[in-house]
Amino acid sequence: MSAISGDGGGSAAGPASSRSAATRTLTMRGSRIDSRELFAAEREIIIAHGEDAYRLRLTSQNKLILTK
């Protein structure tokens, strides 16, 4: 199974909307995505959930932080 990831613009994207839109394919195994695929190009991604935007960051100690 694959999931398409991209910055669709819009207000929920926040500061990431200033970057050029990019689309990439992520591989899912069941309901699991390897974090190395999420953070292959960046150390932070924006997750749009309804009208809200969340930031998922990879720290220097290889931990994940999710903030609204």
Side-chain angles (χ1 to χ4, degrees):
M1 177 184 237
S2 293
I4 302 298
S5 169
D7 181 5
S11 62
S17 63
S18 64
R19 297 182 196 147
S20 63
T23 301
R24 59 187 170 138
T25 302
L26 300 172
T27 303
M28 292 183 68
R29 290 175 180 79
S31 60
R32 190 177 181 113
I33 298 173
D34 193 316
S35 64
R36 291 174 290 194
E37 288 193 53
L38 288 175
F39 297 105
E42 303 283 338
R43 296 193 62 82
E44 180 178 288
I45 61 171
I46 305 297
I47 300 171
H49 181 66
E51 295 295 318
D52 297 320
Y54 294 83
R55 294 179 187 273
L56 183 61
R57 292 183 290 144
L58 182 62
T59 70
S60 60
Q61 296 178 343
N62 206 32
K63 295 184 180 188
L64 297 174
I65 298 177
L66 179 67
T67 56
K68 185 170 181 183

